Amino acid sequence: MATYMSCSNSSIKLMLLLLVSMMIIEVSMAGGEGSLTKDECPAACDFRCSATHHRKPCLQYCNECCAKCLCVPSGTYGHKEECQCYNNWKTKEGKPKCP
């Protein structure tokens, strides 16, 4: 009986370890490059641009950036490090293209 319990406990521990590992991987990849589809870009950009007074150009550039990068940083400002493509895309003048 002790062998059965030992095997069962080991199996449960292994399953819990795998479950926790999968959750960590999923959270670490959330919001990264390719985390959105083109259909999800308008909603993500609508939130991203919700706090600006320059809403129309913000939405235009955000949607353009999202379509290329399939990513929009979290929040209404900053956090661009979450999406390198979005962060690194520059205008001809070398300024950030994506809001």
Side-chain angles (χ1 to χ4, degrees):
M1 188 76 169
T3 306
Y4 174 74
M5 291 297 276
S6 175
C7 181
S8 179
N9 286 340
S10 296
S11 296
I12 290 172
K13 287 178 184 177
L14 180 61
M15 287 175 37
L16 286 173
L17 179 63
L18 288 171
L19 181 62
V20 169
S21 298
M22 289 170 45
M23 290 172 61
I24 290 170
I25 290 170
E26 185 175 332
V27 168
S28 68
M29 293 178 68
E33 250 65 13
S35 64
L36 297 175
T37 64
K38 286 186 181 184
D39 292 337
E40 295 171 316
C41 288
C45 288
D46 191 49
F47 178 74
R48 179 77 177 170
C49 297
S50 64
T52 184
H53 294 291
H54 307 286
R55 189 164 172 77
K56 190 173 180 178
C58 181
L59 286 170
Q60 177 186 348
Y61 289 112
C62 181
N63 278 293
E64 185 178 341
C65 293
C66 184
K68 177 182 178 186
C69 302
L70 297 178
C71 177
V72 174
S74 62
T76 57
Y77 183 79
H79 306 287
K80 288 185 178 182
E81 68 280 355
E82 295 174 357
C83 183
Q84 291 302 311
C85 169
Y86 194 98
N87 187 37
N88 296 335
W89 198 8
K90 307 289 185 207
T91 64
K92 293 176 187 176
E93 294 81 26
K95 295 180 182 179
K97 183 168 185 101
C98 305

